Amino acid sequence: MRALRSACMLGVLLEAVVADPLAHVRPLIGSLNGGNVFAGATLPYGLAKAVADVDGQNTGGFAMDASNVTGFSSVHDSGTGGNPSLGNFPIFPQLCPGDDLNQCYFDIDDRKVPYKAATVIAEPGMFSLELLNGIQANMTVSQHAALYRFRFPNKVSKSMSAVRPLILLDLTDLWKSRQIASVSVDETTGRIVGNGTFLPSFGAGQYTMHFCVDFDDAKIHETGVWANGRAGSDTKHMVLPRGFNKFFNQGGAFVRFIPHHETVSARMGISYKSVEQACRHAETEIPDIVNGFDALVATAREQWRFKLGPISISPGLLPDMDLIKSFWSGVYRTMISPQNYTGENPHWDTGKPYFDSFYWYVFLSVLFSGVGLLFISS
């Protein structure tokens, strides 16, 4: 009887190994000790890649290195060496001390907050964590846009009124390579649009990226722009140069909300061509900012299942689950890059598929996945 029960349990285990490969994908593998992998939410070959950015090992944006979160951005590379890559236009949620705009933290070194390592969840199509200050961040993506859901803790000011949540946008990237950028915020809708010119993390030349950020139905208290730690609500547009010598100008835009529920959602569209195309991507791919999060995650997971579906494993009698996880995680990583930039090349448009971000890391992922398969099947 005991042998029969053990055989049944083993059968269930083997069925689980074969049934859903996503259950064995671990996006956090390689997010420490120089792995430089992208651990956040992406579609197969997706342009949009959303994750928390840290001030530690941040070549891929996030690392499990107990460092501080500086923002949440929507484009990243994975597995590269050298300087941090992309991480353009991060947004950052906070509750201003005393509910006073002048007490908010805008510059990177002032606003950064540690994250709670035990709260980090990384799965195909979704990434989430909680900051030490109690703000929870969940994110998912479409092909050219990202959807963020921030949950704020209940706090009151000295006047016993609820503290108004603030979300800022920073005209920077992970490498602080911005040359010049512009931003505008609509005082009625809260929409933030703009663009910036940046340097690649390695190589020559420069590139321009455009963005379009919309928020859910949260009521707006005030909007404005900020620069070098100071914010104001009188100005709604700003052009930000790089700065002089070693001084790097920091700046962007912000929106403060009237508390009406604990969650504020933000949608960011990205384009290498124009602000209009960035907004069009966001509106078309994520039409429902308020209620679309779970459906977007489900769609992402289905796309990953479709891509991984042609591969199957016939494990031995006692499968090594660590090897199973390593194998599926490696296969998953072969489809994070290159990235599908079809229709996004600002220099030419042939109407044919165009992919970018070809790195040696992709081929290394294929190699390690193959080695894992040899061990599993031996």
Side-chain angles (χ1 to χ4, degrees):
M1 186 67 179
R2 182 177 299 174
L4 179 60
R5 187 182 300 113
S6 298
C8 291
M9 292 176 62
L10 180 59
V12 171
L13 174 62
L14 294 178
E15 184 178 355
V17 168
V18 176
D20 187 6
L22 296 191
H24 306 290
V25 173
R26 299 294 185 269
L28 290 174
I29 293 177
S31 63
L32 193 59
N33 297 326
N36 297 342
V37 301
F38 172 73
T42 181
L43 298 183
Y45 311 114
L47 184 153
K49 288 176 165 42
V51 79
D53 295 325
V54 298
D55 62 356
Q57 301 177 35
N58 63 357
T59 305
F62 179 78
M64 289 292 293
D65 60 354
S67 53
N68 303 293
V69 172
T70 61
F72 301 87
S73 61
S74 307
V75 283
H76 294 86
D77 279 321
S78 184
T80 63
N83 298 307
S85 184
L86 299 177
N88 310 71
F89 311 120
I91 58 177
F92 191 82
Q94 62 179 298
L95 296 173
C96 303
D99 199 29
D100 182 358
L101 179 64
N102 294 321
Q103 300 300 315
C104 263
Y105 303 110
F106 290 92
D107 288 352
I108 293 174
D109 287 339
D110 295 332
R111 71 178 186 243
K112 62 184 180 182
V113 179
Y115 62 89
K116 301 177 183 179
T119 67
V120 176
I121 299 175
E123 300 174 350
M126 193 277 291
F127 183 89
S128 67
L129 54 68
E130 182 177 337
L131 301 177
L132 193 61
N133 58 18
I135 296 177
Q136 300 175 23
N138 299 271
M139 58 216 71
T140 185
V141 293
S142 60
Q143 179 64 31
H144 306 90
L147 182 60
Y148 301 88
R149 188 168 59 189
F150 299 112
R151 182 177 296 275
F152 295 86
N154 291 319
K155 287 190 176 182
V156 295
S157 63
K158 291 182 179 179
S159 63
M160 300 307 294
S161 60
V163 176
R164 288 164 285 208
L166 178 144
I167 296 179
L168 66 83
L169 179 139
D170 194 338
L171 295 169
T172 190
D173 62 342
L174 287 170
W175 190 27
K176 297 182 181 178
S177 75
R178 185 206 68 244
Q179 303 302 293
I180 190 169
S182 66
V183 65
S184 299
V185 56
D186 188 296
E187 61 182 339
T188 302
T189 65
R191 168 173 279 190
I192 305 175
V193 298
N195 55 54
T197 300
F198 303 87
L199 303 180
S201 59
F202 55 88
Q206 59 187 24
Y207 66 94
T208 299
M209 186 180 293
H210 309 265
F211 66 89
C212 178
V213 181
D214 291 297
F215 300 95
D216 59 15
D217 58 354
K219 296 181 179 179
I220 296 172
H221 170 64
E222 64 179 337
T223 64
V225 298
W226 64 275
N228 299 323
R230 302 295 295 176
S233 57
D234 293 333
T235 303
K236 310 299 180 183
H237 174 76
M238 179 176 64
V239 176
L240 189 69
R242 176 167 182 80
F244 298 95
N245 296 325
K246 294 183 178 180
F247 183 78
F248 177 71
N249 282 324
Q250 299 186 54
F254 72 89
V255 179
R256 284 179 88 190
F257 302 92
I258 298 173
H260 72 302
H261 50 65
E262 296 178 347
T263 301
V264 176
S265 295
R267 178 187 66 191
M268 174 176 281
I270 294 291
S271 174
Y272 285 92
K273 280 193 168 182
S274 67
V275 165
E276 292 75 19
Q277 183 149 307
C279 292
R280 187 163 55 249
H281 285 325
E283 294 165 353
T284 302
E285 297 175 7
I286 309 178
D288 189 348
I289 302 177
V290 179
N291 301 307
F293 190 92
D294 292 340
L296 207 59
V297 173
T299 298
R301 293 180 67 83
E302 284 306 310
Q303 289 195 29
W304 278 110
R305 285 193 182 95
F306 177 78
K307 287 295 185 181
L308 299 179
I311 304 171
S312 61
I313 300 175
S314 298
L317 186 62
L318 294 174
D320 186 319
M321 294 308 298
D322 287 337
L323 283 176
I324 295 290
K325 293 173 184 177
S326 295
F327 171 75
W328 283 118
S329 299
V331 175
Y332 166 81
R333 294 211 169 279
T334 66
M335 288 178 271
I336 289 181
S337 295
Q339 299 173 27
N340 187 349
Y341 284 11
T342 301
E344 286 296 326
N345 191 321
H347 303 294
W348 68 82
D349 189 356
T350 64
K352 298 180 180 179
Y354 171 73
F355 286 70
D356 210 323
S357 293
F358 285 89
Y359 296 114
W360 63 270
Y361 151 82
V362 176
F363 305 101
L364 195 61
S365 297
V366 175
L367 173 63
F368 284 138
S369 298
V371 171
L373 182 59
L374 289 176
F375 277 106
I376 291 170
S377 59
S378 62

